[in-house]
Amino acid sequence: MTARQPLRFLGTHAVLLLASALILAPLFWMLSLSLQNASAAFSFPPHFLPLPPHWLNYPAAWVSEPFGRMYVNSIVVTFGIIAGQLVTCSMAAYALSRIEFKGKRAVFLVVLATMMVPVQITFIPAFLILSRLGWIDTYQALIVPFVASGFGVFLLRQAFLQVPQALIDAARIDGAGHWTVLRAVMVPLSKPTLTTLAVLSFVFHYNDFFWPLIVTNSNSMRTLPVGLTMMIMSTGTGGTQWNQLMAADVFTLMPLIILFALGQRYLTQTPLTTGIK
Amino acid sequence: MKLSNGILAVASSISLVTVAATAQAAPAPTPVTFWYGLGGQQAADVEHLIHEFNRTHPTIHVKGYFAGSYGANGPEQQKLLASIAAGKVPTVVQLEIHATCSFAAGGALMKLNSWMASSPHDKSSDFIPGLMVNTGCGKATYGVPFNRSVPILYYNRAMFAKAHIAGPPKTWEQLAADARKLTRKGVVGFEPVNQWWFFEAMDWSAGGQILNPAMTKATFANAAGARGMALWVKMVKEHIAYVHSGPNDFLETIQDFLNQKTAMYFGSAADMAFDDTAKFSWGAAYTPTFAGHRLAVPTGGANAVIMAKAPLAQRKAAWTFVQWWTAAPQTIWWSEKTGYLPVLTAALHSSAMKAFFKKNPNHAVPVYELAYAREAPPSPHYYQVLQDIQNAQDDIMDFSQTPQAALAKAATQADQALTGQ
């Protein structure tokens, strides 16, 4: 046993190290290129270490497109969507998991079905609605279509089903209504799932390129992914400043990395299985 | 009663003042919304020209918007579809040439024939002849050449001299023989980009056609269609050619040329500004043809189109803008900056352009190659056909299918698209 354990430890860590290296290699290359000169992306053999580092790529990238404004837009839009989703999804999930009503199963199936329809099918009708509302090129167009999410409802419903009925009954005996049960029992006990939804939603909407491109025209309403593509010249022609683009990638990725560092402990927390003794 | 009268009096005096003020001020410039699909330095060049236009035309104000990449079926076209459906269209759009007829067939684009006929320098006959291909459907013209290119064979002069090859190959047979001589350790003779645009060139230059004249049937699955692909496969298996795959294949090919890992590559005239950064002497040559066949090349890039649903005053203002853009000083500036072709014959004959070509003879090659330009079939279903061809090319180059078999399968699928099944 004692003899086998170090071997197992080494084996596990060798695999983990290899996997980490594979995942980190592109990130390292991005970071390295962001500090090299413009032709570094094409030099062969490649220079892996950015020596001496070209720090000026960062300010150059920052001013190449209105990234300051785009940063604000991305943050406002993504947090707006997440806030909306957490509210609407938890309410829908509560109804679908804890309230009996006619047609409940059918409603849940319709919610699930929305997850199967790709955006390419829905974007024109959605655009038409926003256009009639006069919302094109506004924050509303970027946020409102996403404040409800079939996936979010599904995820939270499954989490709410895990909450023991006895806890809810106890709350009801103490005089709690549906709102109080949702706020004081369901939400606190489903924090890991709510965090998971927030993180997944953040990654998806922070990265989304297609929708912001379709519903915005002016640079002052655009988000970071649109800004990044604006730095790429037409396909095939070359001439893109890859070092500056990588620098822009680095500062675009930063919020995601920070968010992951902060949210990690919620993500790895064991889901609730018991709450009563 | 008195109060409401008072309000009315105040309101009418305000409106009188407003009317008087409006009458005195200069009329507001006519707004023109221009969607383009280029990024990076090219977008900066576009914005520079827009700025120059606005500065010299006080009665018009053009505002440019990046609308996503203009490439075939790219995000710009999806954005345009949504705006057409909502009835809120831009005024003028940089549109990929193969899409001209698809959008025109739905009534979205304005027919430009009569405006062009009365234009001082944008008559059809004013443009370099090969550039008027894929600007419309049949006799109706909907697009004005904007940023256009042709396929070009690039070659490394030093490597050619070292292998004692006098000049670039004119035929595919010669290209294969040269590639064999040029290949050495760490260097392949030739790298094609495995995209449909180059298939068009090879099929046509082997005597083939992509579609029948009625555009109802695919006609590329035959000996002419398979000939180029079969040659590429043979060269790759012989290790005298290399083909990149994946989303960056075009860029990786150019990169290999700049790093002197390939002696020749088959690319676009639009690469030229980038190739100018090479640290060695290189040449641009015509696309090769097959022995005994006349060269025929597709053109690429985008046209400027004016949206039919935009208000007339804005369309007229947009037309002023388009004519200004194509005029000699601007088209020369654009061409020198980007490597895209100048569009007017008058520009070619200008002393500025002549001086530029004398200094940069490679840049003149695509212009002369335009004499061999052929129109891609202006079918609204052509994108689907090209996608089927692209799938076949991918299957051929990963050796999972023979050229004949892959193209036959693609033709069956293309036929379904063409007949709307």
Side-chain angles (χ1 to χ4, degrees):
Chain A
M1 189 70 186
T2 41
R4 271 169 64 192
Q5 252 176 354
L7 265 182
R8 215 173 125 186
F9 177 85
L10 277 179
T12 314
H13 280 75
V15 172
L16 287 176
L17 274 175
L18 193 71
S20 311
L22 279 175
I23 292 166
L24 289 174
L27 291 173
F28 170 76
W29 185 230
M30 171 182 75
L31 199 63
S32 169
L33 269 187
S34 76
L35 292 169
Q36 300 197 39
N37 62 30
S39 60
F42 301 105
S43 65
F44 190 87
H47 303 288
F48 289 107
L49 290 179
L51 293 173
H54 290 56
W55 296 108
L56 288 177
N57 291 341
Y58 280 81
W62 184 260
V63 298
S64 71
E65 304 294 341
F67 275 116
R69 175 74 199 208
M70 288 169 173
Y71 232 109
V72 172
N73 291 345
S74 274
I75 299 286
V76 168
V77 167
T78 314
F79 279 98
I81 290 172
I82 292 174
Q85 282 189 357
L86 291 179
V87 172
T88 63
C89 295
S90 58
M91 280 159 58
Y94 180 80
L96 287 170
S97 61
R98 296 295 168 175
I99 302 175
E100 287 309 319
F101 58 92
K102 221 177 156 195
K104 184 169 147 181
R105 225 181 124 71
V107 169
F108 186 54
L109 282 177
V110 169
V111 168
L112 286 185
T114 62
M115 289 163 61
M116 325 279 174
V117 186
V119 63
Q120 279 73 11
I121 308 275
T122 56
F123 84 91
I124 289 190
F127 185 92
L128 283 177
I129 296 169
L130 295 173
S131 173
R132 297 257 166 86
L133 291 168
W135 283 2
I136 299 304
D137 219 17
T138 64
Y139 277 131
Q140 294 95 294
L142 290 163
I143 297 171
V144 176
F146 301 104
V147 293
S149 150
F151 172 72
V153 173
F154 167 74
L155 195 71
L156 290 182
R157 175 188 175 267
Q158 304 311 104
F160 287 180
L161 284 175
Q162 300 292 316
V163 176
Q165 185 62 34
L167 283 179
I168 297 163
D169 292 343
R172 304 287 305 223
I173 289 166
D174 286 344
H178 285 311
W179 284 112
T180 315
V181 172
L182 175 61
R183 217 181 51 239
V185 181
M186 294 304 205
V187 167
L189 289 177
S190 308
K191 261 191 198 157
T193 314
L194 288 164
T195 314
T196 305
L197 175 63
V199 171
L200 289 177
S201 189
F202 189 99
V203 172
F204 182 84
H205 291 287
Y206 188 76
N207 272 336
D208 192 17
F209 162 74
F210 185 71
W211 186 255
L213 178 78
I214 299 290
V215 298
T216 65
N217 293 318
S218 50
N219 280 348
S220 62
M221 282 315 298
R222 286 189 154 163
T223 54
L224 290 166
V226 180
L228 292 178
T229 50
M230 287 167 79
M231 293 179 76
I232 302 175
M233 311 245 287
S234 61
T235 43
T237 54
T240 303
Q241 300 280 319
W242 292 99
N243 54 344
Q244 289 183 19
L245 184 58
M246 292 301 127
D249 279 341
V250 171
F251 61 65
T252 299
L253 265 178
M254 270 311 148
L256 276 182
I257 292 169
I258 293 169
L259 188 85
F260 183 76
L262 292 177
Q264 196 187 17
R265 77 195 165 93
Y266 292 102
L267 290 177
T268 50
Q269 207 172 57
T270 325
L272 172 90
T273 44
T274 59
I276 41 173
K277 287 188 176 146
Chain B
M1 193 69 186
K2 268 187 177 171
L3 182 66
S4 61
N5 274 346
I7 292 174
L8 268 180
V10 171
S12 44
S13 50
I14 289 175
S15 52
L16 270 177
V17 169
T18 325
V19 169
T22 331
Q24 277 169 7
T30 311
V32 168
T33 310
F34 171 38
W35 282 9
Y36 58 85
L38 295 166
Q41 181 57 42
Q42 291 171 340
D45 294 341
V46 170
E47 290 289 349
H48 169 80
L49 285 177
I50 292 173
H51 180 78
E52 279 304 298
F53 176 82
N54 286 335
R55 197 175 59 77
T56 50
H57 295 75
T59 58
I60 300 171
H61 185 78
V62 178
K63 187 140 176 51
Y65 294 99
F66 172 74
S69 164
Y70 78 81
N73 262 340
E76 187 205 39
Q77 289 181 24
Q78 292 179 310
K79 190 172 162 64
L80 191 58
L81 281 176
S83 82
I84 292 167
K88 294 200 172 149
V89 291
T91 331
V92 55
V93 178
Q94 175 195 18
L95 188 67
E96 204 277 327
I97 60 166
H98 295 88
T100 316
C101 208
S102 317
F103 278 91
L109 311 182
M110 187 191 154
K111 199 171 146 185
L112 295 172
N113 297 53
S114 63
W115 284 7
M116 287 178 82
S118 57
S119 167
H121 63 69
D122 273 7
K123 294 181 181 59
S124 286
S125 55
D126 289 328
F127 290 93
I128 304 172
L131 284 178
M132 286 309 287
V133 303
N134 290 111
T135 54
C137 322
K139 289 203 169 90
T141 303
Y142 296 95
V144 169
F146 185 82
N147 62 308
R148 298 285 293 269
S149 57
V150 282
I152 287 287
L153 179 73
Y154 291 94
Y155 65 101
N156 184 317
R157 285 182 194 277
M159 287 185 182
F160 268 61
K162 214 168 158 190
H164 305 292
I165 305 171
K170 289 195 169 60
T171 64
W172 282 106
E173 293 83 356
Q174 188 60 47
L175 180 138
D178 289 348
R180 206 164 288 130
K181 288 186 210 160
L182 290 158
T183 302
R184 56 194 69 235
K185 197 174 156 36
V187 182
V188 290
F190 175 58
E191 286 191 10
V193 179
N194 190 28
Q195 293 185 5
W196 51 259
W197 201 45
F198 304 103
F199 177 85
E200 285 180 310
M202 290 198 297
D203 183 30
W204 293 343
S205 300
Q209 298 281 355
I210 305 285
L211 303 181
N212 64 345
M215 301 192 294
T216 51
K217 211 168 158 39
T219 52
F220 55 78
N222 53 24
R227 202 164 163 186
M229 294 310 294
L231 181 75
W232 285 6
V233 168
K234 185 167 166 274
M235 291 175 71
V236 170
K237 286 190 170 165
E238 211 185 312
H239 303 294
I240 58 174
Y242 182 78
V243 178
H244 290 271
S245 57
N248 295 320
D249 56 348
F250 214 127
L251 207 56
E252 285 165 6
T253 306
I254 302 177
Q255 186 181 326
D256 276 0
F257 184 67
L258 292 177
N259 285 322
Q260 309 208 53
K261 293 179 61 140
T262 178
M264 295 181 274
Y265 87 96
F266 193 18
S268 161
D271 312 344
M272 209 160 286
F274 195 41
D275 289 325
D276 281 335
T277 64
K279 294 185 179 76
F280 54 90
S281 168
W282 54 275
Y286 288 176
T287 298
T289 182
F290 284 97
H293 292 283
R294 186 184 150 86
L295 174 63
V297 293
T299 66
N303 297 319
V305 297
I306 295 178
M307 302 305 291
K309 292 273 161 63
L312 181 64
Q314 292 184 18
R315 279 185 279 144
K316 281 185 172 163
W319 178 238
T320 306
F321 173 60
V322 170
Q323 290 178 92
W324 177 85
W325 185 288
T326 53
Q330 284 72 244
T331 194
I332 291 170
W333 186 87
W334 172 250
S335 174
E336 289 181 4
K337 272 279 197 187
T338 62
Y340 283 111
L341 294 162
V343 294
L344 290 184
T345 310
L348 287 186
H349 297 151
S350 71
S351 53
M353 199 85 238
K354 278 180 180 159
F356 178 72
F357 283 158
K358 199 168 177 192
K359 208 172 149 207
N360 305 277
N362 284 326
H363 285 250
V365 174
V367 177
Y368 296 120
E369 197 185 42
L370 275 176
Y372 301 94
R374 181 185 288 183
E375 178 153 77
S379 158
H381 307 294
Y382 198 56
Y383 271 150
Q384 190 51 53
V385 175
L386 293 175
Q387 189 54 55
D388 295 330
I389 290 176
Q390 186 63 57
N391 293 343
Q393 284 182 263
D394 294 342
D395 288 344
I396 294 166
M397 290 320 296
D398 68 16
F399 303 150
S400 63
Q401 289 195 36
T402 64
Q404 298 281 6
L407 291 172
K409 193 177 93 189
T412 311
Q413 285 164 344
D415 284 345
Q416 287 171 0
L418 291 165
T419 50
Q421 280 170 1

